[in-house]
Structure formats: C-alpha cells, structure tokens
Amino acid sequence: MSSQPSLGEFDIIDKYFQKSAPRQDVILGVGDDAAVVALPDNSHIAISTDTLVEGVHFFADIPPRALGHKALAVNLSDMAAMGAEPRWVTLAITLPEINEAWLAQFSKGFYDLAEYFNVSLIGGDTTKGPLSITVTVHGVVPHGKALRRDGAKPGDWIYVTGNLGDSGLALAHLQHQLSLSPQQLELSLKQHYFPQPRVLAGYGLRDIASATIDISDGLYNDLGHILRKSSCSATLKLEQLPLSETMNEAVSIDQSIAFALNGGEDYELCFTVPESNKGSVDTSLSFSGIQYTCIGQLAPGKGEIKLQYKDKPYQLDQAGWDHFV
C-alpha cells in the first residue's frame, strides 16, 4: 500500500463507509458515539463477531474486494447457522497506511454483499497498525426459533449445504502444496475468496433442524461441536460427500475426502434433522435454491465420528483448522 496521509480517520469513514442509505430500523447509524436501532416485537437478537488478521486468516496479496466480501460473509454465515436475519453490522479496521485504491475495492466487496442481504453498516472504528478486520453482525430471530448446536438426538440425519472442500483446495494451491490448472484455480478461488453465506437456508431450517452449525473450521471439527453439545456420535458416509467437478478432476478421492472434511472456510451449513422432519427438507429449502445432501446419521455416544467409505471403515489422518495451532 502506498501512503496518502491527506486522508484522516473521519475522511476514510465519510468517503468509503457511508455509501448506502440505512435500513428503516436504523434510528442512528455511522457518525455518532453509538448506533441506535429498533428491534421487532417477539424477536431475539443474535450477535456474532469475527476477526481476520493478515498472515493468519488471509495472505497479504488477497484482492481487497475479496477481503471486503469475506470479512462480512463469515459473520453472515454465523447468522445463517442461527436461523437469524442479519440486519446491522459494525466494522473495526486497522490499516498499516492509507491507500485509496485498496479502500475503494475493499468497501465495494463489503457493501455489495451487505446490500444483497439488506444489512446496514451502523458503526465501527478505524486505526493504524497491522492489517486486521473485526466485524460484528447483529441479527434477529423469532422468539424460540433460534437454531442451536445442542438439540440433536440419536437417529437424526446429518446434512450439509453446497459442495465441500473447494476453498481448502484453492488454499493448498496458494500454499504451493499442489498445482491446479488455470480453470480449476479460478473456480476454487471463487469459493475461497467469495463464499456465499447460506442465510436463506437458515430461515428454512428454523422449524425442521434439530441442530445447525456453519462449516468454518472443517466439517469434521464443526460436526464435532454439535456432537459434544448434543451428546451424540455420528457415522458419515464418505461416498455421499458433495464434491465439485473441479475437486474430482484435480485430486484423488482420498485427497478429496481430506479437503471435504478438513479443508475449512467452506461457510456451508451442517445441520441435523429428525426422522419425523426428513420429508420436509425439500419443502423447507426449495425456496432457497441451495443444494443440500444427506451424508450420515447420529447415534448414541459422546462425540465420536465413525467414517465409512462404501460401508467399510475409513481412516482420516489430517486434522481440521485450529486458530492456535
């Protein structure tokens, strides 16, 4: 980034982070000591915060528009996992220096996604230092309808949305662990840089899912959170994992399984559905236009995950993402 010291903190906010008209329920937004919003009746508020740090969560050369999109998308994915409607967001960004071209692209990626989901930026902070972005999103969910991790029961069926592993596949290329063709890289980078939060699917799951989580740290790890919270075990049918054509072309089936289970940053939903609601999945998710796949079933236990490939036990060597490893 090249320095342009003529812009100050409030200039940056005015120029790049007050681009759209606020929602009708924003009483007071950017520009005051705190935001004021109106809450709908008979609703609970859902709140989620994520921080992205250069060198930990993204490379220094990530396109700024992709970073702006992703910074918001990871929080919207948390709202989707709760069945919540995202409404308001705050952004705290630490910049090593001011680069207007970078800021213009970052804010475009951020606002394009915010406007798609009708989310208003209502405040935040800017400061100088190593590049990091902290986003807090606030959403609403009807009273008693919030999706949780602790409601699954033995016998429930396990589903995931979308395809799994493409983001991890792109990351492996960027880390020089494998080499993708230009077309394979383009398709997998789209999933890595521009994940699509499954907010509409979250709405549809409110009345049928027993437990839900977004897949940010890899399916194996994130499903494990549901199992421990719900005191269950799981059997996964690995031949049923949803894999993209790009994945199938680029790597072996064993590598595909490893990426699907542990690649991380898919930002799809993993959810469980009781047998009594299994017939309602098609109806509940049809309006969302989002692909979904049944990949296994829960059983009594204490968090164990049994892997099977065509009814034979399967051993997985690779662990999922951990922020402190």
Side-chain angles (χ1 to χ4, degrees):
M1 297 184 185
S2 59
S3 180
Q4 297 185 28
S6 58
L7 282 184
E9 175 185 2
F10 296 107
D11 299 316
I12 294 172
I13 294 170
D14 289 341
K15 188 168 184 178
Y16 296 106
F17 298 109
Q18 291 200 97
K19 289 192 168 185
S20 60
R23 296 171 50 95
Q24 294 290 320
D25 52 18
V26 177
I27 310 303
L28 191 61
V30 175
D32 220 298
D33 290 308
V36 179
V37 296
L39 295 177
D41 294 336
N42 301 315
S43 294
H44 288 156
I45 187 166
I47 304 169
S48 177
T49 298
D50 277 289
T51 296
L52 302 180
V53 179
E54 183 179 280
V56 177
H57 302 98
F58 59 90
F59 294 117
D61 60 353
I62 184 175
R65 187 168 71 89
L67 183 57
H69 173 103
K70 196 167 188 177
L72 179 56
V74 300
N75 282 268
L76 297 184
S77 184
D78 287 331
M79 291 291 103
M82 300 299 295
E85 176 196 349
R87 291 197 172 191
W88 317 287
V89 64
T90 60
L91 169 66
I93 183 167
T94 302
L95 299 165
E97 55 188 5
I98 297 170
N99 181 320
E100 291 200 54
W102 188 95
L103 282 165
Q105 286 299 302
F106 175 88
S107 62
K108 176 172 174 52
F110 189 94
Y111 271 107
D112 283 350
L113 189 61
E115 290 172 2
Y116 180 83
F117 285 105
N118 191 26
V119 174
S120 283
L121 180 65
I122 59 172
D125 192 26
T126 59
T127 190
K128 184 174 182 179
L131 182 60
S132 69
I133 300 114
T134 297
V135 173
T136 299
V137 64
H138 304 73
V140 297
V141 61
H143 185 92
K145 297 291 187 179
L147 298 169
R148 299 166 55 136
R149 301 178 182 181
D150 60 359
K153 304 291 183 185
D156 290 359
W157 296 93
I158 306 166
Y159 289 80
V160 293
T161 61
N163 292 321
L164 301 179
D166 287 326
S167 178
L169 183 68
L171 180 60
H173 177 97
L174 295 175
Q175 293 175 325
H176 308 292
Q177 296 175 1
L178 54 76
S179 181
L180 300 175
S181 71
Q183 183 179 18
Q184 290 168 346
L185 179 60
E186 179 183 0
L187 293 172
S188 60
L189 275 179
K190 183 177 180 181
Q191 302 305 312
H192 184 63
Y193 284 155
F194 296 97
Q196 299 302 310
R198 303 309 194 182
V199 174
L200 293 181
Y203 299 161
L205 294 174
R206 288 174 182 166
D207 293 316
I208 65 165
S210 54
T212 309
I213 191 170
D214 82 316
I215 305 172
S216 56
D217 299 333
L219 173 63
Y220 194 92
N221 270 4
D222 290 321
L223 174 60
H225 295 313
I226 288 179
L227 300 181
R228 287 185 289 275
K229 286 283 190 179
S230 298
S231 299
C232 293
S233 67
T235 297
L236 295 184
K237 302 288 190 178
L238 300 182
E239 70 275 11
Q240 296 173 201
L241 290 172
L243 305 174
S244 70
E245 184 176 339
T246 299
M247 177 73 75
N248 288 326
E249 290 177 352
V251 296
S252 69
I253 184 61
D254 287 329
Q255 290 174 303
S256 296
I257 290 171
F259 280 122
L261 293 181
N262 286 330
E265 296 195 320
D266 288 311
Y267 299 107
E268 297 291 348
L269 296 182
C270 173
F271 59 97
T272 59
V273 175
E275 176 68 33
S276 59
N277 288 342
K278 193 176 183 185
S280 301
V281 176
D282 286 347
T283 302
S284 296
L285 293 183
S286 61
F287 76 96
S288 71
I290 296 169
Q291 167 192 320
Y292 52 91
T293 308
C294 184
I295 60 169
Q297 193 171 20
L298 301 184
K302 297 182 179 180
E304 305 89 356
I305 299 178
K306 298 178 182 179
L307 303 178
Q308 293 182 353
Y309 185 74
K310 297 183 177 178
D311 295 324
K312 295 181 179 179
Y314 187 93
Q315 182 66 41
L316 182 72
D317 298 325
Q318 183 180 349
W321 169 259
D322 188 316
H323 293 276
F324 293 97
V325 173

